[in-house]
Amino acid sequence: MNNSIVILGVQWGDEGKGKIVDLMTKYSKYVVRYHGGDNAGHTVILNRKKIILHTIPSGILHEGVLNIIANGVMISVKSLIKELTCLQSHGISVKNGLAISESCFLILPHHVAIDRAREASKGKIGTTLRGIGPAYEDKVARRGLKLSDILHMTSFEARLKEIIDFHNFQLIHYYHSSSIGYQETLEEIISCSEVILEMIEDVSEILNRAHDNFEPVIYEGAQGTMLDIDQGTYPYVTSSNTTSGGVSSGSGIGPKRCMGHILGVMKAYSTRVGSGPFPTELHGSIGELLRKRGMEYGSTTGRPRRVGWIDVVMINKSVQCNSISSFCLTKLDVLDGMERIKICTSYRDREGKEIDKIPSSLEAWKDIEPVYEILPGWKGKVYKIRDYRFLPEEAIRYVRRIEELTGVSVYIISTGPSREDSIIIKNPFYC
Ligand code: IMP
């Protein structure tokens, strides 16, 4: 038995991790977010209502579970309060169900302003405009402010003033943009932080105790492997480690304790929001069909997602750099009725050479062509099937082929948006 599982995306995010974390929370006592910020948009369905979580872990709908925002997560106090209010309006109480690390760094209004100014002025990354990149920059530059700093108001005020002055110079003189007001920022933080500070706990202590007692814990990844700052399609990435390597540093738990089983969540096709390489991207009617059927519009930004066939070259890179133990295949039902389904098994570079590794530089990504294997689609439906034996034969063949090409078994298949539309072939907690 594993007492901890990591659930993370093996593509470019939006693989449907929220639903899977929600599904697996039934077997867990803790759900932990360990990186990223409110750039994430994790969709969970409650009583047919769609709830989108940005910073709060996806286990929040379950009673008796402690949801933890650990030190690797960036917090926008304003956005977190909005999320808490939204949950309350759905009748979900977070009382006793949410703990926050005091070591989380803050996303401040000037981070959002810089993100916006950059996206408006030069080569676009296509960020979520939540200030994530600039906030991580301040952290690494050792001038960032943490939640715990708010507890020492006099020094917090002085450091906030300094950091805002520093960034206003850039905003005004480099981006020709409006400056950020110190007083408004301070008031916003003070008004929002009271509720948040009440939830501060020593989360690594809680988690270490949980591991001592072999209690089940889920570590919930955000975004996806190809958006990892080190392993992804740089510079078209987010600013944190989305891969399993980030679990330990982002939660304060040693790697041997927090990584019992690593469940890689993979969509049955590929999507990406924002700019950057996407060899299997579909531009025509098939892409449009998948986008509509899969409701592929960003949960945080509403932007239409780019859509394409599954890419095993990329997935194999994810398997390698995350130590993936098993897969959860999501949105298989979206492929219902397709005549043919393509799997990208290798790339051809500009010299016509076949390669099975993802390029490491932007220049090398240019002119990459996907090499496909074509499988027949299925006539019956996968939608809402809850027993593996009832899947159409060709759907099983597709699942098996992915397993063969990656060397990793599929433990869970998602066949529709609700929690119940799932086939658990093997439970990652009990293997
Ligand atoms: P940032 O994280 O807002 O800086 O955006 C950097 C890149 O990551 C952009 O291409 C975003 O579209 C992408 N991104 C950030 N968060 C998510 C997510 O939750 N799902 C999918 N893409 C994301």
Side-chain angles (χ1 to χ4, degrees):
M1 181 180 161
N2 295 296
N3 73 327
S4 67
I5 61 171
V6 177
I7 299 181
L8 53 77
V10 297
Q11 294 154 311
W12 279 290
D14 306 315
E15 296 93 350
K17 296 178 291 294
K19 172 188 156 171
I20 305 307
V21 172
D22 176 50
L23 176 74
M24 295 313 293
T25 302
K26 188 160 105 184
Y27 309 96
S28 188
K29 285 256 176 257
Y30 304 86
V31 181
V32 187
R33 270 284 306 270
Y34 55 89
H35 75 98
D38 61 345
N39 48 349
H42 294 166
T43 308
V44 284
I45 309 274
L46 179 73
N47 302 331
R48 300 220 176 119
K49 272 190 234 147
K50 194 166 151 181
I51 299 176
I52 298 171
L53 299 163
H54 297 287
T55 309
I56 295 175
S58 305
I60 199 71
L61 306 187
H62 296 251
E63 276 180 29
V65 170
L66 184 63
N67 289 272
I68 292 178
I69 300 176
N71 63 277
V73 178
M74 292 281 167
I75 289 191
S76 152
V77 287
K78 193 175 168 188
S79 159
L80 185 53
I81 289 293
K82 208 168 143 196
E83 206 173 325
L84 289 167
T85 313
C86 169
L87 283 174
Q88 269 154 9
S89 74
H90 282 95
I92 301 156
S93 162
V94 296
K95 210 162 185 274
N96 306 322
L98 185 63
I100 305 173
S101 164
E102 62 176 6
S103 300
C104 290
F105 280 85
L106 296 172
I107 302 172
L108 297 164
H110 62 261
H111 295 135
V112 179
I114 293 168
D115 202 358
R116 285 181 184 277
R118 278 184 192 158
E119 285 290 304
S121 70
K122 50 176 193 162
K124 280 192 182 193
I125 298 293
T127 74
T128 57
L129 304 177
R130 299 294 174 116
I132 302 295
Y136 274 108
E137 284 168 34
D138 270 357
K139 172 180 173 175
V140 175
R142 292 168 289 192
R143 59 173 168 256
L145 287 165
K146 294 184 180 192
L147 261 185
S148 56
D149 292 322
I150 306 176
L151 300 169
H152 310 280
M153 206 25 103
T154 311
S155 66
F156 181 79
E157 285 177 10
R159 286 180 60 204
L160 181 68
K161 174 95 181 63
E162 212 173 291
I163 197 173
I164 290 180
D165 286 347
F166 176 83
H167 287 296
N168 272 343
F169 187 84
Q170 192 189 168
L171 276 168
I172 297 165
H173 298 287
Y174 188 74
Y175 293 114
H176 309 292
S177 179
S178 321
S179 59
I180 293 294
Y182 160 72
Q183 202 54 41
E184 293 137 68
T185 304
L186 183 64
E187 277 161 24
E188 182 179 299
I189 293 168
I190 292 172
S191 68
C192 295
S193 58
E194 198 183 331
V195 177
I196 294 171
L197 292 176
E198 278 173 13
M199 296 183 211
I200 279 187
E201 305 261 7
D202 184 344
V203 304
S204 62
E205 170 75 25
I206 295 175
L207 285 170
N208 266 308
R209 214 176 317 121
H211 287 299
D212 283 344
N213 297 329
F214 298 99
E215 289 183 288
V217 182
I218 293 174
Y219 290 90
E220 176 183 21
Q223 292 86 45
T225 300
M226 288 298 127
L227 291 174
D228 183 280
I229 184 81
D230 291 300
Q231 304 298 331
T233 50
Y234 189 90
Y236 298 103
V237 292
T238 190
S239 300
S240 63
N241 282 116
T242 61
T243 43
S244 56
V247 182
S248 177
S249 56
S251 62
I253 306 297
K256 285 188 183 168
R257 304 205 96 180
C258 59
M259 290 192 243
H261 186 102
I262 301 170
L263 179 68
V265 185
M266 165 178 37
K267 207 181 276 195
Y269 48 97
S270 305
T271 59
R272 156 161 223 174
V273 276
S275 318
F278 189 175
T280 64
E281 184 167 10
L282 289 161
H283 295 282
S285 56
I286 298 182
E288 196 47 48
L289 183 74
L290 290 177
R291 183 176 301 112
K292 278 211 179 108
R293 274 217 207 143
M295 290 181 281
E296 298 297 353
Y297 300 90
S299 353
T300 302
T301 58
R303 289 178 290 179
R305 293 178 186 142
R306 298 160 67 194
V307 175
W309 296 115
I310 206 158
D311 182 342
V312 166
V313 182
M314 197 178 83
I315 287 163
N316 278 339
K317 158 84 180 174
S318 292
V319 168
Q320 205 179 62
C321 69
N322 288 301
S323 296
I324 296 293
S325 317
S326 71
F327 285 132
C328 165
L329 186 63
T330 60
K331 291 194 157 182
L332 187 58
D333 54 297
V334 174
L335 299 180
D336 278 352
M338 304 293 288
E339 213 167 291
R340 299 179 314 158
I341 297 169
K342 292 188 181 180
I343 303 180
C344 169
T345 52
S346 61
Y347 300 148
R348 212 176 290 288
D349 69 11
R350 77 178 66 149
E351 277 91 41
K353 202 168 115 213
E354 209 169 315
I355 49 172
D356 62 0
K357 299 261 178 304
I358 72 157
S360 64
S361 72
L362 260 194
E363 208 39 50
W365 269 110
K366 283 187 188 156
D367 308 320
I368 284 288
E369 294 288 342
V371 176
Y372 288 116
E373 183 175 306
I374 302 177
L375 265 64
W378 46 90
K379 293 216 165 56
K381 278 197 162 98
V382 158
Y383 183 57
K384 285 194 173 290
I385 288 192
R386 295 171 186 183
D387 187 326
Y388 188 76
R389 291 167 303 173
F390 300 145
L391 287 175
E393 201 183 304
E394 293 81 2
I396 294 182
R397 190 160 152 201
Y398 184 58
V399 175
R400 289 262 160 83
R401 190 64 189 131
I402 291 170
E403 292 181 324
E404 278 164 16
L405 290 165
T406 57
V408 177
S409 302
V410 173
Y411 277 19
I412 302 174
I413 300 174
S414 169
T415 59
S418 78
R419 221 183 254 167
E420 294 72 28
D421 303 330
S422 311
I423 303 171
I424 303 183
I425 302 164
K426 252 188 186 176
N427 186 327
F429 272 121
Y430 305 126
C431 59

